[in-house]
Every structure is written in C-alpha cells, then in structure tokens.
Amino acid sequence: MAANISGGHLNSAVTFGLAVGGNITILTGFFYTIAQCLGSTAACLLLKFVTNGLVSDPKKGSLGTIAPIAVGFIVGANILAAGPFSGGSMNPARSFGPAVVAGDFSQNWIYWVGPLIGGGLAGLIYGDVFIGSHDPLPVTEDYA
C-alpha cells in the first residue's frame, strides 16, 4: 500500500538497515522511524478506544517476485519461535505503540536492540555480498 510513497517502510529495523547501507539518507530514515512510531501509537490508542480499554498484553500475539511470500514465511517462523517468549515482535515501532499506551517501557529496549543490530548488519553486508556477486543481465533493445 505504501510502496509507491515510502518504499513500504513499516519496520524501523528495515529502515535502519537501508540507512546504514546507503539506500536512504539518515535524515529520511529518522523521519520514517518517527512516523512508524507515531503510527503504531495511534493504532494502539485506537485499539484501546475501540475495545473499551481491553488491550491485550503486547507480549502475546497472534526475493524477487516471491519476496513478499518469503518475508511472510520468515516472519511466521520467527513468531512461532519467539512468540512464547516475547510475542515475536521484530519491528521496534510495533512494540513502541503498545508500550506507550500501556505506560510500560521496562522491557522495551530488547525490541529495539535486537532488530536494529540485525537490520544494521543486513544493511552493511547486503550490497557487498548479495548485490556485489550478482551479474546484471546484458542490456538489449530486443524484447523478442
């Protein structure tokens, strides 16, 4: 939905990785992260309003053309593996909103440190390891 506007930046860790990798500016990444956190907070406040204050515990929860399905499978596997321990949140902004609404930031740091380290490392190595080893297709005018 937002791909044409922001490249689909919904996860602060991915945004951080793109900034570290030089695909977006640090300033752009900063503003995207602020917007992501504000969106998460607004969504959680709306959820609290709609459910009349019955917001659930935030720690509980439910490549190429196949990239979306691959990412979905990876996210699903991470949620299945980490869900019983942390809710499986790999998105710092997604964890920020419930912490704001609940007024409890006591364990929120872990939702930022782990994903940002992973995103930063991915941003550093992706261009050199994956893109650098890829030979582009020859440019041709013939589309037949």
Side-chain angles (χ1 to χ4, degrees), residues 38-65:
L38 289 173
S40 175
T41 302
C44 288
L45 286 169
L46 181 61
L47 178 65
K48 185 175 181 178
F49 174 76
V50 169
T51 62
N52 200 20
L54 300 174
V55 177
S56 64
D57 183 351
K59 294 180 183 173
K60 308 272 188 234
S62 46
L63 309 134
T65 58

Side-chain angles (χ1 to χ4, degrees), residues 30-123:
F30 175 75
F31 284 123
Y32 281 163
T33 300
I34 296 297
Q36 293 159 355
C37 289
L38 289 173
S40 175
T41 302
C44 288
L45 286 169
L46 181 61
L47 178 65
K48 185 175 181 178
F49 174 76
V50 169
T51 62
N52 200 20
L54 300 174
V55 177
S56 64
D57 183 351
K59 294 180 183 173
K60 308 272 188 234
S62 46
L63 309 134
T65 58
I66 65 162
I69 197 148
V71 169
F73 282 132
I74 291 168
V75 169
N78 285 336
I79 289 171
L80 289 173
F85 306 104
S86 68
S89 177
M90 295 146 287
N91 184 340
R94 182 258 176 249
S95 300
F96 179 80
V100 169
V101 172
D104 181 11
F105 286 92
S106 62
Q107 301 296 318
N108 197 254
W109 66 272
I110 195 68
Y111 295 106
W112 286 86
V113 173
L116 290 179
I117 289 172
L121 289 173

